[in-house]
Amino acid sequence: MNQDVLVVGAGIGGLTAASLLSKHGMSVTLLEASSELGGCAGKFTRHKFVFPVGATLGMGLEENGILERVFRYLEKPFPLEPLETVMEMIHPEATFLFLRDRNRHVEQLIFAFPQYKKQIQSFYSEVFSTASIIRTLMGPLPVLPPSTAKEWTFLIGSLRPRHIKLLPFYNQTLEQRLERHGLARLTLFRQMIDGLLMDSMQTDSKNAMYLLSALALDIYHEGAYYVPGGLYRFAELMGQSLTENGGTLKKRRTLVNLQHADGKWMATDHRGTQYKAAHVVLNVPIHQLPKILPANSLEQLKKPLRDGLSTPTWTTLALYIAVDSSKLNTPLPLFRQIATEAGAGLAEGAHFFMSASRPGDLLRAPLGIQTVTISTHSQVHHWDTQEKYESTREAVADRILHSIEKVVPNFKEAIIHFETGAPKAWERFAGRPNGYVGGFPQTLDNALFNAISHRSGLPGLYVCGDHIFPGGGTIGVATSGIHAARSITGERLIL
């Protein structure tokens, strides 16, 4: 089968690239190993219940947000009202609300820490100002790290005098800025910040790059959304656009071999079907590449990508629960972060993110039922033997349920369906080797000019997804897909 572009992996990154390229008029084939679209933003069904694979909320749908621009280009508008209260953040000593309104958000934190009023005001003034400058680059969306003369030219052309203000912060961590504003030793405040960063940047304030931290702390204020059904609806719309514009979508097709010869890429799936294409976009975890590419091709990959092949990331334990809301005092809130005890850390169930379906969302569950997806970070060494695997799964799940029960009386009694998604499940159903999810922590060593480019180093081969600049989350992976599509077409596509 001959086509202009072969895209492998129907996560949001691959779907973004495939749908944009198809809309642009190219011949595109998309292969997906699963029967579902969306990857870590996909879904699965149990009985009458639909569970989002990951505990995530909708982002990038505000006016001129990354996904809003993608759907506008595809002529698939996705209008939703942003959440005024984004999430609850529950800590043993206090509960905070993340409020969309920036002023109200800061006022709430000052109310909690009145003796630190000036420090909190100055910190958030700097964060919001820094983020507003960074967001001006999300319009042109230059590639980092730039690899070609055209990418360097576009980056330089995107810069304005105001961007000079970012330079003093470039090599700083968020911890350094907290120190500067006298907040580094305000433990509860810092734990709240760390929880937000862990879910968005895969690291805490000690190690997180400040520039990206400022954007991560601010972007919820731009717009966070409850998506009826779940984020899989993004994937379905992109898949629909792909096929409407003449593209081919093949599910349950696993790529087993990819080779370059005579200026073309030849791919073979597990059924023995072969595909020939001038360009290939791999939206697969980079840890899969040694199984796909021959040794001589692996040696030609760019060094950051090659180094990343053997670099572990976080894994996760997810819980998938359906509850009878009538047995609860009040319905579950849509989004919640819970820290189990002060100073207990940010992994192994000590901190977790919990997303619940909106009551009455019939795309998720029958009336009176809420489906819940919960995820916590975990280190891979806790799962490397069968004995440790089973004990870790039981211990972490129990820790999470016990913590929820403290906040939601009768929660366990209300459960009518329960199952876990441990690392092997992520490996089997989402193609994540060792259950690695979320991409690399956005530290000074991994971010911006030190990130992995969408250009693999091999001619006509591009990579996208949560390991690639700018990183994880639906906004990040969509951006890497945009960069791949732009590099193939030579056009900006979305504006």
Side-chain angles (χ1 to χ4, degrees):
M1 180 185 293
N2 262 302
Q3 59 273 305
D4 296 328
V5 186
L6 176 68
V7 180
V8 181
I12 296 298
L15 282 163
T16 299
S19 59
L20 292 177
L21 291 166
S22 184
K23 181 71 172 178
H24 187 66
M26 302 192 77
S27 173
V28 182
T29 295
L30 172 58
L31 305 182
E32 167 54 41
S34 171
S35 59
E36 293 281 353
L37 303 180
C40 292
K43 66 173 173 64
F44 67 93
T45 302
R46 292 288 187 268
H47 311 297
K48 297 180 180 179
F49 313 131
V50 172
F51 294 98
V53 172
T56 52
L57 48 72
M59 304 289 291
L61 294 171
E62 68 276 4
E63 185 176 1
N64 292 320
I66 296 297
L67 285 166
E68 188 275 332
R69 290 156 65 191
V70 169
F71 289 127
R72 192 194 325 152
Y73 180 82
L74 299 178
E75 298 180 276
K76 298 283 186 184
F78 204 101
L80 289 173
E81 288 297 318
L83 299 168
E84 294 304 320
T85 298
V86 177
M87 71 180 85
E88 290 184 355
M89 299 173 286
I90 299 174
H91 293 262
E93 300 171 32
T95 294
F96 306 99
L97 297 178
F98 196 107
L99 303 174
R100 182 185 178 213
D101 184 277
R102 289 177 175 86
N103 291 331
R104 289 180 58 216
H105 187 73
V106 173
E107 287 169 1
Q108 172 206 201
L109 294 173
I110 291 172
F111 181 80
F113 306 103
Q115 67 274 35
Y116 288 89
K117 177 179 179 179
K118 290 183 179 180
Q119 293 93 323
I120 290 172
Q121 286 177 328
S122 65
F123 172 71
Y124 276 102
S125 176
E126 179 186 285
V127 164
F128 295 154
S129 174
T130 301
S132 69
I133 296 173
I134 297 172
R135 278 200 309 277
T136 62
L137 291 170
M138 294 175 72
L141 215 60
V143 171
L144 291 179
S147 302
T148 66
K150 185 174 182 179
E151 288 176 358
W152 274 105
T153 300
F154 188 68
L155 170 61
I156 294 169
S158 300
L159 298 177
R160 298 292 181 266
R162 60 177 168 254
H163 296 126
I164 295 173
K165 296 179 180 179
L166 301 177
L167 289 178
F169 302 130
Y170 183 78
N171 282 317
Q172 294 202 18
T173 64
L174 181 58
E175 180 178 59
Q176 290 174 286
R177 302 315 302 163
L178 290 169
E179 288 274 8
R180 172 66 179 81
H181 292 280
L183 294 170
R185 290 167 182 80
L186 184 55
T187 302
L188 184 56
F189 178 84
R190 186 159 174 175
Q191 287 177 342
M192 180 268 296
I193 294 288
D194 285 347
L196 291 168
L197 294 178
M198 196 67 170
D199 286 337
S200 57
M201 295 184 64
Q202 310 301 312
T203 190
D204 59 13
S205 57
K206 179 178 176 60
N207 300 297
M209 184 184 206
Y210 170 65
L211 290 179
L212 293 183
S213 298
L215 188 62
L217 294 176
D218 178 76
I219 201 162
Y220 292 108
H221 298 294
E222 286 294 293
Y225 302 81
Y226 176 81
V227 180
L231 300 192
Y232 72 86
R233 293 186 60 207
F234 294 172
E236 290 182 345
L237 270 184
M238 291 175 177
Q240 181 183 354
S241 177
L242 167 68
T243 56
E244 286 176 352
N245 287 293
T248 300
L249 173 59
K250 290 178 174 285
K251 299 179 183 178
R252 297 181 179 176
R253 299 294 179 112
T254 301
L255 180 69
V256 296
N257 185 263
L258 182 64
Q259 301 205 34
H260 191 256
D262 301 324
K264 291 278 190 176
W265 285 97
M266 180 66 75
T268 306
D269 69 23
H270 73 291
R271 300 184 186 184
T273 305
Q274 293 190 317
Y275 311 83
K276 185 181 288 188
H279 307 279
V280 174
V281 179
L282 292 178
N283 181 213
V284 301
I286 62 173
H287 302 92
Q288 283 192 14
L289 297 189
K291 296 181 179 179
I292 296 172
L293 293 169
N296 64 325
S297 293
L298 292 172
E299 293 170 358
Q300 298 175 57
L301 296 174
K302 289 187 174 183
K303 188 176 185 304
L305 177 56
R306 195 168 64 248
D307 290 345
L309 303 184
S310 57
T311 304
T313 68
W314 291 104
T315 187
T316 188
L317 176 70
L319 306 184
Y320 304 103
I321 302 171
V323 296
D324 181 347
S325 296
S326 69
K327 295 183 179 180
L328 304 175
N329 294 336
T330 58
L332 297 170
L334 302 181
F335 302 104
R336 202 176 234 167
Q337 287 184 339
I338 297 178
T340 61
E341 54 188 274
L346 293 168
E348 320 310 335
H351 175 272
F352 54 91
F353 186 70
M354 180 176 179
S355 66
S357 60
R358 177 174 278 162
D361 183 354
L362 299 182
L363 294 173
R364 291 273 294 273
L367 283 175
I369 307 297
Q370 288 181 275
T371 59
V372 185
T373 301
I374 300 168
S375 63
T376 186
H377 289 75
S378 182
Q379 295 181 354
V380 70
H381 67 82
H382 290 297
W383 305 87
D384 57 9
T385 69
Q386 186 63 33
E387 182 180 356
K388 289 164 68 176
Y389 193 95
E390 296 302 331
S391 64
T392 299
R393 173 161 53 184
E394 181 178 356
V396 174
D398 285 348
R399 185 179 195 178
I400 290 172
L401 291 174
H402 179 70
S403 300
I404 297 174
E405 188 80 10
K406 289 182 179 179
V407 178
V408 186
N410 304 320
F411 182 78
K412 292 182 183 179
E413 182 184 337
I415 293 175
I416 56 177
H417 178 85
F418 176 89
E419 64 183 282
T420 61
K424 287 297 182 185
W426 287 89
E427 184 171 39
R428 180 181 177 187
F429 296 109
R432 314 292 303 201
N434 298 312
Y436 294 148
V437 294
F440 297 117
Q442 295 298 293
T443 63
L444 295 175
D445 292 335
N446 294 331
L448 299 184
F449 283 88
N450 293 324
I452 298 176
S453 168
H454 70 286
R455 293 183 181 273
S456 70
L458 294 168
L461 180 65
Y462 304 90
V463 287
C464 61
D466 53 15
H467 296 99
I468 313 305
F469 172 81
T474 50
I475 294 176
V477 298
T479 298
S480 65
I482 292 166
H483 286 151
R486 284 179 168 180
S487 294
I488 290 170
T489 63
E491 303 288 341
R492 284 190 63 182
L493 303 178
I494 71 163
L495 299 176

